[in-house]
Amino acid sequence: MNSRIFNAVSGRLSLRLPQSESLQKLMQAIDAAPAMLAHERDLDAVLATLKGEFPTLSDFERAFPSLCFALATGVGKTRLMGAFISYLHLAHQFRHFFVLAPNLTIYNKLITDFTPNTPKYVFKGIAEFASYPPEIITGDNYEQRAGNLSLLSPVTVNIFNISKINSEVRGGNSPRIKRLSEYLGDSYFNYLAELPDLVLLMDESHRYRASAGVKAINELKPLFGLELTATPFVESSRGPVPFKNVIMDYPLARAMEDGFVKEPAVVTQRDFDAKRHTPEEIEKIKLEDGIRIHEATKVELMTYARQNGVHTVKPFMLVIARDTTHASQLLGLIQSDAFFAGRYRDKVIQVDSSRTGKEEEEMITRLLAVESEGEPTEIVIHVNMLKEGWDVTNLYTIVPLRAANARTLIEQSIGRGLRLPYGKRTGVSAVDRLNIVAHDRFQEIIDEANRGDSPIRLKQVILEIPDQDEGVVAVQVSSNAETALGLDTPQAISTGGHVYELQIERLTTPVFTTESEKQVARAVLDVIQELEKQPQYVSNSAALLKPDVQQTIMAQVIQRLTPVQGELLEKETVDLAAVITKTAEIVSSKIIDIPRIAVVPTGEVTVGFHPFTLDVSGLHLQPADRELLIQKLRTNEQETLVSEIGITERRLEDYIVFALVDFDDIDYTTHAELLYDLAGQMVQHLLGYLSADEARTVLDRDRRLIAKNIHAQMMAHCWEKASGYEVQVSRGFTTLKPCTYTASAKNPLCHYRDTVDDKSRIKQMLFGGFQKCLYSLQKFQSDTERRFAVNLERDSDKWFRPVKGQFQIFYQFGTAQPEYIPDFVVEANGKIYMVETKARTDLNDAEVQTKAEVAAKWCQHARDYSLSNSGKPWQYLIIPHDEINESRRLEDYERFIKKP
């Protein structure tokens, strides 16, 4: 029951792997120690039980069970809190929660994220909260709201700011929450303390572990506490002291490897020598180079958005000042004509405690809106005001101008700018990178980042996860047809290169046992792979059984075996006709006919671009005669921003045009007029804020970046004309491709019906025991897929999970044309289904919709071809993950058929 609820919450909230793993560990803790749910319990016994489950746990460090989930910044701790609350309510009927924030920024952010109809609402997708969402009680309204709590709301979430409680208890005073409430006839504190199911959630728990406020809150005596932090230790005079109650540790190094955060990189000038410059000169150089990186990043982000049909991200640059006086000086410099002719005068704000009244109000308004594309701020200067909770995703450049050691610089940068604007890596380096401009500290930061205990390198902060280094094997799996013929068996290759056969349950004894028979069977398979390219002769796999086709196979097999056939037949007699017939029967029975389909234009085809006005808003590249060196801290890869060595062009437009014609889809002869028109628009834009010499410098250095941006805009105005289009089938069926998987060497094989307790490890597991699958082993990306395979084993005739290249269906997404690989191919009920299982919250994703349209059209073409050749019709299913369970029959899913 709880596993079903876990799957539902994880799927509906689209939890990332570390979030899902954290929720799974909470479920594991409660299942192992159900006494956590009762006030009357033996705390030592609960601790002893949980220590057996979690080796990293040694003490609760509180008077009640408290478990810490240490997740790297940017992974999503607030959404995880929503998942915790949803699971505890749905699985164990908890109704009352108390959330602690460490400061005003996070306090306000939590209130927003727990409020319905906000962009990051933490319960979005939880159907049980759709009509009656959780009641939110805050430290500002509890006196008014407490006496009028909604009877309809299934859950109450209290959100309080610990810093405010700390200030109230100074001098031994009681916090206001403990004072008598006329609405309740008691204090709100006592009301909460008497609740039978109060759960305490502590955000950024490292900030207030030993504070007086927390000591007061502990008197609430919650059933248990859940702590969340990115830094599971407290500072002391002897150095950092690790938490003793961590049960989930997902450090920054893992988050970076898994692609959940940006890649931090340090930036300097090539051959920069700090000794040749005064401190003031170094500051100005770093600021100017920061702007150049910022403007180049801005163009990369605009280009990526156009290429992929996503929203445009407006980046900003963060400047870290020494103090408020220094911050004011920097503000004056950036607003002056001496800094890029005053172009950033209205695009910079100073954020610190020196602002009061109306100035402070304006500062906070602009800061909170810094992610908005329409908000003008591109530079933020601050000293120490931006702390945890300021979780913007569009910070791309940091210029630290305050004296600090290299480790502090890295940690400050990590805490501010690693969140990704699109929620995942894009594969475009500039879009996935955080730049730290540190000319004078470049080598020092590189050396610090390469230390074993650097946050960027450190994989495990507290204790090593058991079996983390248990080893990996690569498993090679051929189709069941080849296995049935005796030609192949699954093999595993260990990390040391040792090859061994996997012991799996065989469904049938191989039909061929002698080497001569196997050699003939292999030759038959090779001939079949050639014949599949002749759909007019062999329209599908059933045609392999026709006498004339088998005669063709016989002739080609004899031709292939001629050099060695005499030698073989001298040793043992091989009945070629029998081997060919049997091989064709097995191939035909252990395959699902997948035609190779392409839609191609017919007659004369012309391609061009409509004229249009170039969008140059937001593009303000700046001149530079210095080469900038960018080195990623985790991988040590280097990139540069430098002018190209080449001919100085006569016309400024030529820089752009000659870069544009390097694109394969742009022909100079055909498109010259448009190319010069667009180049002229860009040059006029540059000359609007640069001198001619400065514009030439920008074009010389950034011609390819500019051309890339223009090309992305051109693709939106591309047209193609053809006399007509036709569907071409180049293959009536395709033999099944071999698969290669990786799996844990310790326990490589599991039965597909085995319940997977740790869902986070499912991608490391291989499953077998199938009767209907066309491969002996399969790998799943989620437990939803495994559970759907259980349905298929019961209801289908045959099925498998295709690999890359099996279908060769491509779709247009932005300027990219990736391959679409469906989750399943199923033959049943006289039909063939192409199946995609998807988290319900992802069904409206633009890329998911694009893939679905392409797949549905492919199935329509495959259906037409198949029916015209006495085959079975194709249908495309896209099934929400939460609809999949064993009580449903395969035909029940037909309500999710998508038609083109």
Side-chain angles (χ1 to χ4, degrees):
M1 178 65 175
N2 290 347
S3 293
R4 182 183 64 79
I5 294 172
F6 164 81
N7 290 329
V9 171
S10 183
R12 291 179 193 174
L13 294 180
S14 299
L15 297 185
R16 292 172 165 178
L17 179 63
Q19 295 168 324
S20 181
E21 187 177 339
S22 298
L23 182 59
Q24 190 274 333
K25 288 184 181 293
L26 173 61
M27 182 176 73
Q28 179 184 349
I30 295 174
D31 289 347
M36 284 178 61
L37 307 182
H39 277 289
E40 299 299 325
R41 61 200 167 190
D42 184 338
L43 198 62
D44 292 335
V46 173
L47 177 61
T49 299
L50 293 181
K51 284 167 70 174
E53 296 285 326
F54 307 105
T56 53
L57 172 68
S58 60
D59 190 35
F60 290 138
E61 301 189 280
R62 301 188 186 279
F64 51 85
S66 188
L67 307 174
C68 179
F69 300 82
L71 271 67
T73 297
V75 170
K77 293 187 285 293
T78 307
R79 179 165 287 262
L80 179 58
M81 280 195 277
F84 283 161
I85 292 171
S86 300
Y87 174 78
L88 290 171
H89 172 65
L90 297 175
H92 299 287
Q93 293 72 55
F94 278 71
R95 296 188 60 221
H96 300 95
F97 300 87
F98 194 97
V99 179
L100 273 179
N103 56 42
L104 184 61
T105 303
I106 294 182
Y107 171 70
N108 289 328
K109 172 183 171 294
L110 287 172
I111 293 173
T112 299
D113 291 348
F114 275 83
T115 301
N117 302 317
T118 53
K120 298 180 181 179
Y121 182 48
V122 297
F123 298 119
K124 185 178 181 180
I126 302 298
E128 290 78 1
F129 293 158
S131 299
Y132 300 104
E135 185 88 10
I136 307 302
I137 307 295
T138 73
D140 298 309
N141 68 11
Y142 70 91
E143 289 178 306
Q144 294 76 33
R145 299 287 294 279
N148 190 31
L149 292 178
S150 171
L151 298 177
L152 296 175
S153 180
V155 166
T156 300
V157 179
N158 298 272
I159 303 176
F160 280 73
N161 179 5
I162 193 66
S163 62
K164 187 174 183 180
I165 296 176
N166 282 338
S167 65
E168 292 173 354
V169 299
R170 289 187 185 127
N173 297 323
S174 293
R176 191 161 60 95
I177 192 175
K178 284 193 171 184
R179 298 170 193 168
L180 181 67
S181 166
E182 59 182 89
Y183 297 102
L184 296 173
D186 200 348
S187 70
Y188 191 62
F189 186 93
N190 288 341
Y191 161 75
L192 292 172
E194 292 171 2
L195 292 172
D197 61 346
L198 187 68
V199 175
L200 179 64
L201 293 93
M202 294 161 271
D203 196 12
E204 305 292 357
S205 62
H206 64 282
R207 289 287 306 278
Y208 44 74
R209 269 210 155 199
S211 71
V214 168
K215 291 178 182 176
I217 292 299
N218 285 347
E219 295 175 17
L220 286 172
K221 299 177 183 178
L223 273 179
F224 55 87
L226 304 174
E227 304 182 32
L228 297 99
T229 181
T231 50
F233 53 82
V234 291
E235 295 291 348
S236 71
S237 57
R238 295 170 295 174
V241 178
F243 288 6
K244 298 178 181 179
N245 63 338
V246 174
I247 67 168
M248 172 63 186
D249 187 19
Y250 189 80
L252 179 65
R254 283 184 63 191
M256 291 173 66
E257 281 188 355
D258 293 344
F260 289 129
V261 294
K262 295 183 188 127
E263 285 277 8
V266 62
V267 181
T268 188
Q269 290 180 17
R270 178 78 70 184
D271 298 325
F272 184 83
D273 186 353
K275 296 190 290 293
R276 297 178 184 175
H277 304 277
T278 65
E280 291 76 17
E281 289 174 337
I282 291 174
E283 278 192 2
K284 191 166 186 288
I285 290 170
K286 287 167 69 174
L287 285 171
E288 290 175 345
D289 286 343
I291 287 293
R292 292 182 182 107
I293 289 283
H294 163 73
E295 291 294 349
T297 301
K298 193 195 303 183
V299 177
E300 292 278 14
L301 285 164
M302 288 190 296
T303 302
Y304 175 80
R306 290 185 180 279
Q307 289 178 334
N308 294 277
V310 294
H311 70 278
T312 301
V313 173
K314 181 207 75 175
F316 76 96
M317 182 173 87
L318 178 65
V319 181
I320 304 175
R322 293 190 297 271
D323 50 41
T324 55
T325 301
H326 184 221
S328 298
Q329 293 170 349
L330 293 172
L331 180 67
L333 170 64
I334 292 171
Q335 291 180 327
S336 72
D337 291 337
F339 191 80
F340 294 107
R343 294 170 199 141
Y344 297 90
R345 182 174 292 117
D346 299 321
K347 299 180 179 181
V348 57
I349 59 171
Q350 178 184 344
V351 179
D352 56 51
S353 56
S354 66
R355 296 289 190 268
T356 57
K358 187 176 180 181
E359 280 190 344
E360 181 184 25
E361 199 172 298
E362 181 185 353
M363 171 194 75
I364 291 174
T365 300
R366 290 184 65 179
L367 180 63
L368 293 177
V370 76
E371 284 185 288
S372 171
E373 190 178 353
E375 209 286 322
T377 301
E378 294 187 32
I379 305 171
V380 174
I381 306 171
H382 94 104
V383 182
N384 243 345
M385 192 170 178
L386 306 181
K387 302 181 185 296
E388 294 100 337
W390 194 58
D391 56 352
V392 292
T393 61
N394 60 330
L395 173 54
Y396 272 89
T397 307
I398 297 178
V399 183
L401 300 179
R402 184 175 61 203
N405 61 42
R407 187 180 186 90
T408 301
L409 282 176
I410 293 173
E411 290 175 349
Q412 282 179 339
S413 303
I414 284 169
R416 299 294 181 269
L418 288 187
R419 287 178 172 83
L420 289 163
Y422 296 110
K424 60 183 179 181
R425 296 253 181 94
T426 64
V428 179
S429 180
V431 178
D432 298 335
R433 189 181 66 225
L434 171 68
N435 305 290
I436 307 165
V437 181
H439 297 19
D440 47 335
R441 313 294 293 279
F442 180 82
Q443 191 58 52
E444 185 184 349
I445 290 175
I446 294 294
D447 292 342
E448 178 61 36
N450 285 322
R451 288 169 55 92
D453 63 347
S454 164
I456 290 169
R457 300 283 173 206
L458 202 61
K459 297 287 180 63
Q460 197 66 28
V461 176
I462 301 172
L463 290 174
E464 289 295 320
I465 296 175
D467 301 328
Q468 187 175 9
D469 300 318
E470 61 189 14
V472 174
V473 294
V475 180
Q476 299 173 348
V477 186
S478 295
S479 69
N480 283 353
E482 292 194 45
T483 303
L485 293 170
L487 301 181
D488 209 347
T489 56
Q491 291 183 329
I493 304 174
S494 68
T495 51
H498 175 64
V499 180
Y500 58 93
E501 183 177 327
L502 280 178
Q503 299 301 313
I504 63 172
E505 179 184 355
R506 291 184 182 274
L507 300 182
T508 58
T509 303
V511 295
F512 302 130
T513 55
T514 69
E515 289 304 315
S516 298
E517 290 175 325
K518 290 179 182 179
Q519 188 165 355
V520 173
R522 173 58 66 190
V524 174
L525 283 184
D526 292 342
V527 172
I528 288 174
Q529 288 177 355
E530 291 299 318
L531 289 178
E532 70 183 40
K533 301 174 185 176
Q534 303 176 36
Q536 70 284 356
Y537 179 49
V538 184
S539 59
N540 50 38
S541 62
L544 295 173
L545 306 180
K546 294 180 178 180
D548 61 318
V549 174
Q550 295 205 355
Q551 287 297 321
T552 301
I553 296 174
M554 170 79 79
Q556 293 191 27
V557 167
I558 290 174
Q559 184 179 2
R560 288 170 182 261
L561 295 179
T562 295
V564 295
Q565 186 183 7
E567 178 186 342
L568 286 171
L569 294 177
E570 287 177 8
K571 295 181 179 178
E572 51 188 282
T573 301
V574 178
D575 187 340
L576 285 180
V579 172
I580 290 170
T581 300
K582 193 63 180 176
T583 301
E585 288 175 352
I586 288 175
V587 170
S588 181
S589 65
K590 296 184 180 299
I591 195 173
I592 296 176
D593 288 347
I594 299 173
R596 184 65 51 79
I597 297 174
V599 180
V600 297
T602 59
E604 183 181 355
V605 180
T606 55
V607 179
F609 302 92
H610 296 292
F612 66 96
T613 301
L614 205 60
D615 182 1
V616 294
S617 60
L619 192 148
H620 294 91
L621 294 166
Q622 302 295 348
D625 55 4
R626 301 179 291 263
E627 177 182 357
L628 293 184
L629 176 66
I630 305 166
Q631 181 160 333
K632 293 180 180 178
L633 296 182
R634 182 174 68 92
T635 63
N636 289 314
E637 296 173 282
Q638 288 191 348
E639 301 175 41
T640 59
L641 282 181
V642 61
S643 298
E644 294 187 24
I645 299 174
I647 300 172
T648 300
E649 306 295 349
R650 184 177 61 84
R651 298 171 58 188
L652 294 179
E653 290 84 354
D654 290 343
Y655 288 98
I656 300 172
V657 171
F658 294 163
L660 281 170
V661 296
D662 284 342
F663 288 93
D664 293 337
D665 52 2
I666 294 181
D667 174 60
Y668 177 81
T669 304
T670 306
H671 305 128
E673 184 178 352
L674 175 65
L675 296 181
Y676 272 102
D677 175 57
L678 296 174
Q681 293 182 49
M682 180 60 72
V683 168
Q684 287 304 308
H685 171 69
L686 294 175
L687 293 176
Y689 68 94
L690 298 172
S691 67
D693 288 341
E694 289 176 328
R696 185 176 294 276
T697 301
V698 167
L699 289 168
D700 188 31
R701 185 194 66 196
D702 294 323
R703 68 182 84 179
R704 306 216 174 271
L705 182 61
I706 292 170
K708 184 179 174 184
N709 181 267
I710 294 176
H711 180 257
Q713 296 189 49
M714 290 175 67
M715 297 309 294
H717 300 274
C718 179
W719 55 264
E720 176 185 282
K721 292 181 181 178
S723 302
Y725 292 88
E726 68 177 13
V727 177
Q728 290 186 355
V729 178
S730 58
R731 301 186 185 197
F733 67 98
T734 50
T735 51
L736 299 186
K737 291 179 170 292
C739 309
T740 301
Y741 303 119
T742 56
S744 164
K746 182 177 180 181
N747 186 22
L749 296 182
C750 301
H751 194 277
Y752 76 93
R753 272 201 166 276
D754 290 347
T755 300
V756 180
D757 293 323
D758 187 354
K759 305 294 189 296
S760 65
R761 292 179 60 83
I762 198 164
K763 293 182 181 181
Q764 305 168 30
M765 303 165 72
L766 268 181
F767 293 86
F770 305 112
Q771 303 289 319
K772 307 283 188 68
C773 184
L774 296 179
Y775 291 89
S776 56
L777 300 175
Q778 292 279 251
K779 197 169 190 179
F780 302 113
Q781 297 299 306
S782 67
D783 196 51
T784 297
E785 293 179 350
R786 181 194 66 81
R787 288 184 286 114
F788 189 64
V790 174
N791 285 144
L792 298 182
E793 280 292 296
R794 183 191 64 208
D795 296 338
S796 75
D797 298 326
K798 44 191 171 182
W799 67 274
F800 71 99
R801 285 174 52 76
V803 297
K804 186 180 176 72
Q806 189 71 62
F807 276 86
Q808 296 195 11
I809 301 174
F810 298 91
Y811 62 98
Q812 185 85 28
F813 193 69
T815 57
Q817 286 188 312
E819 181 180 358
Y820 171 56
I821 305 170
D823 290 338
F824 297 90
V825 182
V826 184
E827 188 170 318
N829 306 323
K831 302 172 185 175
I832 301 176
Y833 303 96
M834 179 190 291
V835 182
E836 183 79 19
T837 60
K838 222 52 182 177
R840 186 177 290 278
T841 52
D842 292 340
L843 291 177
N844 294 322
D845 177 80
E847 187 170 8
V848 172
Q849 290 287 316
T850 300
K851 289 191 288 188
E853 288 293 337
V854 171
K857 288 179 181 177
W858 187 96
C859 286
Q860 182 183 46
H861 297 318
R863 175 191 181 94
D864 295 341
Y865 174 80
S866 183
L867 291 178
S868 67
N869 289 279
S870 304
K872 299 178 180 180
W874 281 77
Q875 292 180 330
Y876 180 64
L877 305 179
I878 181 165
I879 307 173
H881 77 286
D882 52 7
E883 296 284 349
I884 294 172
N885 62 66
E886 289 190 46
S887 67
R888 290 202 167 98
R889 300 167 301 173
L890 184 56
E891 52 264 36
D892 294 335
Y893 296 112
E894 289 193 354
R895 61 195 176 97
F896 298 109
I897 290 175
K898 180 174 179 60
K899 297 181 179 179

